[in-house]
Structures are given as C-alpha cells and as structure tokens.
C-alpha cells in the first residue's frame, strides 16, 4: 500500500500590516502619555505675566480683563483674544501680547492719552483721557499744560467728543487753555467757553475747535486780552479799548 505524505501545516505568522498597526497604536499611547505628563507639569503653566505701559490702568484691572492667571495653561492662551479683551477697557487704546516659553507672557499696553483734568464729587483731581474715561492721578502726576473741565456732567456725550477733539490737536496749540466750560445753545448744542492762562475768554464749538485753534493762537500771540468768538465767523474784541483807556487817563488827571 503506497504511503501517503501528509503536508506540513504552516505556522501562522503575524502579518507585517498587523505589526505596523500595533507599533502605531503603542506610539500614539506613548505620545498621549507624554502629553498628559507635560500638561500636568509646571513647564506648561503660566509662571509670569508682565505688563508694560500701564500708567492709568491697574494690574488688577488688566488681569481681570485678560482672563490670565498665574498657573493657567500657557499654550491655551490666545494672543488675539487677550489683545481684544484688553482694548475693551476705556483706558487701553492698543495691546500686544508676546509669549515666551516657558511660561512667560509679556503684554505691551498703549493707553489713551490724558487731555484734560476734572474734579470729582469728592474734590479729588482726575485725568480725563481722550476716550472720555476718568482716572485717578494720585500716582501718575499732573501735566500742568492740560485744561480743567468744569460743570460737565459725567454722561454728557459732548464731553467725550471734546476729549477726542483735544487729542487731535497738538499740545502746543492747547497749552494756554486753562479751563473749558459747556455753554450750549439751540444753534450750537456743542458750544463751549474756554479760558486761557493769558486771560482771554473764547467762545467756540467742539466741532469747530480743531479747525479754529490756529486762529486762537494767532490772536493770543498778537493781541491784548479780550473776547474771541470762533463760530461761523471769527471775531476778537479787547476787554479794554483805547477810548476807555483815554477816559481813565483823563479822570486820573482831573
């Protein structure tokens, strides 16, 4: 009887594709483990928050607006979001965020400039910024060339417009203005009165101030103290005319 040869069964070997899948899975698990360890470590945390240029805004206000905290996730911080949040403050004009790994966040602040001063209800002096915001000047000092705002209501919309107008005018053209008072009329609801350190009284409107201020300075430089009107037309009348001076001299001689 002829012998029948039985074929040997081949051992099942894991395919190369299966080995590759296992390797990839193990690698991903290893990376995930490293990520968990990293994000729980102090290296991924915010360790320092530095502000530069903040003169009128307190650190507490800036931190509250930015949402940043020491110990927060460094990589979760969006520079654009922080900048947008900070410029929402009435004192902050621009903000720039610079992240320095590991853990340091530097923020440069550009605040609205102070254009005037005002006494609050308690009699304390406040700086009025070009945005209309009022801030304490206890720690910032006083610029003597800025005017004082008198008799303005806090919610007066023309007060903000006045501050914006003053910000657009060079300091050398407004340095002689000592006081600004609201003086509205039906024709000019934004009419104001200005008093200068050189003893002039000026009547104008907020909407005209930027265009008229050069005329104001020309009169101040060349004329004696008097009343200046800068509305639809410009005019100047001295407080003491030559005729009055002559009459006073005659009375004195008598």
């Amino acid at each position: 009887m002829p012998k029948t040869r039985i074929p040997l069964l081949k051992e099942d070997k894991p395919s190369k594709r299966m080995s590759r899948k296992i390797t990839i899975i193990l690698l991903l698990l290893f990376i995930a483990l490293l990520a968990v360890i990293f994000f729980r470590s102090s290296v991924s945390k915010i360790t320092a928050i530095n502000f530069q240029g903040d003169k009128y805004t307190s650190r507490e206000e800036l931190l509250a607006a930015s949402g940043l905290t020491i110990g927060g996730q460094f990589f979760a911080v969006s520079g654009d979001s922080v900048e947008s949040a900070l410029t929402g403050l009435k004192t902050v004009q621009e903000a720039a965020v610079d992240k320095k790994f590991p853990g340091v966040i530097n923020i440069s602040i550009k605040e609205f400039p102070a254009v005037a001063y005002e006494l609050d209800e308690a009699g304390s002096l406040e700086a009025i910024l070009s945005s209309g915001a009022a801030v304490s000047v206890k720690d910032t000092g006083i610029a003597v060339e800025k005017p004082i705002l008198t008799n303005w209501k806090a919610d007066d919309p023309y007060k903000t417009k006045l501050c914006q107008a003053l910000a657009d005018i060079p300091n050398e053209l407004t340095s002689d203005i000592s006081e600004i008072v609201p003086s509205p009329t039906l024709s000019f609801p934004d009419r104001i009165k200005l008093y200068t350190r050189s003893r002039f009284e000026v009547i104008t409107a907020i909407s005209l101030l930027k265009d008229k201020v050069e005329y104001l300075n020309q009169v101040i430089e060349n004329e004696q103290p008097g009343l200046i009107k800068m509305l639809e037309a410009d005019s100047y009348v001295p407080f003491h005319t030559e005729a009055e001076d002559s009459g006073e001299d005659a009375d004195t001689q008598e």
Side-chain angles (χ1 to χ4, degrees):
M1 211 177 148
K3 294 181 178 181
T4 305
R5 187 176 289 180
I6 300 174
L8 296 174
L9 296 175
K10 294 182 179 181
E11 295 181 3
D12 291 336
K13 294 182 179 180
S15 65
K16 291 183 178 180
R17 182 176 298 177
M18 182 63 69
S19 299
R20 189 177 300 166
K21 285 184 178 180
I22 294 173
T23 302
I24 292 173
I25 291 172
L26 291 174
L27 182 61
L28 290 175
L29 288 173
F30 179 70
I31 293 172
L33 179 62
L34 286 179
V36 170
I37 295 172
F38 176 78
F39 284 110
R40 288 188 176 183
S41 70
S42 59
V43 179
S44 68
K45 307 295 184 182
I46 299 174
T47 57
I49 305 170
N50 303 316
F51 293 101
Q52 296 177 337
D54 48 320
K55 181 179 180 182
Y56 302 112
T57 318
S58 69
R59 178 178 175 85
E60 291 72 22
E61 290 174 314
L62 293 170
L63 286 174
S66 67
L68 298 175
T69 56
I70 299 295
Q73 280 294 335
F74 177 80
F75 293 99
V77 174
S78 167
D80 291 340
S81 297
V82 173
E83 291 168 6
S84 177
L86 290 174
T87 52
L89 295 172
K90 288 199 72 176
T91 54
V92 178
Q93 187 173 11
E94 297 176 9
V97 177
D98 183 24
K99 297 169 64 178
K100 297 287 186 182
F101 184 80
V104 178
I105 298 178
N106 297 317
I107 303 176
S108 297
I109 299 295
K110 180 182 178 183
E111 295 176 313
F112 290 99
V115 295
Y117 294 97
E118 188 175 35
L119 291 174
D120 63 12
E121 294 180 356
S124 300
L125 196 64
E126 294 181 321
I128 308 300
L129 308 186
S130 61
S131 62
V135 296
S136 173
V137 295
K138 291 180 180 179
D139 302 321
T140 58
I142 300 172
V144 295
E145 74 277 5
K146 303 297 182 184
I148 298 290
L149 303 187
T150 305
N151 296 334
W152 289 88
K153 294 181 180 178
D155 58 351
D156 190 336
Y158 290 112
K159 180 180 177 182
T160 301
K161 292 181 179 180
L162 171 62
C163 293
Q164 293 170 347
L166 290 172
D168 292 334
I169 301 172
N171 287 335
E172 60 268 19
L173 296 180
T174 61
S175 60
D176 193 50
I177 300 174
S178 60
E179 185 179 7
I180 303 177
V181 181
S183 181
T185 63
L186 291 176
S187 302
F188 292 97
D190 64 338
R191 198 180 84 149
I192 53 177
K193 282 187 179 181
L194 313 177
Y195 297 94
T196 73
R197 294 177 176 86
S198 51
R199 296 182 295 132
F200 283 82
E201 182 180 334
V202 184
I203 296 175
T204 187
I206 297 170
S207 55
L208 301 173
L209 183 59
K210 183 178 179 180
D211 296 329
K212 300 285 189 176
V213 71
E214 288 190 9
Y215 169 76
L216 168 63
N217 281 272
Q218 289 175 6
V219 175
I220 289 175
E221 290 176 2
N222 298 298
E223 303 293 347
Q224 295 298 315
L227 174 64
I228 303 173
K229 289 186 178 180
M230 302 186 302
L231 294 169
E232 293 179 348
D234 301 332
S235 65
Y236 158 71
V237 177
F239 289 139
H240 298 289
T241 64
E242 293 183 3
E244 290 176 344
D245 291 338
S246 300
E248 290 175 1
D249 292 340
D251 293 338
T252 303
Q253 291 173 0
E254 291 177 359

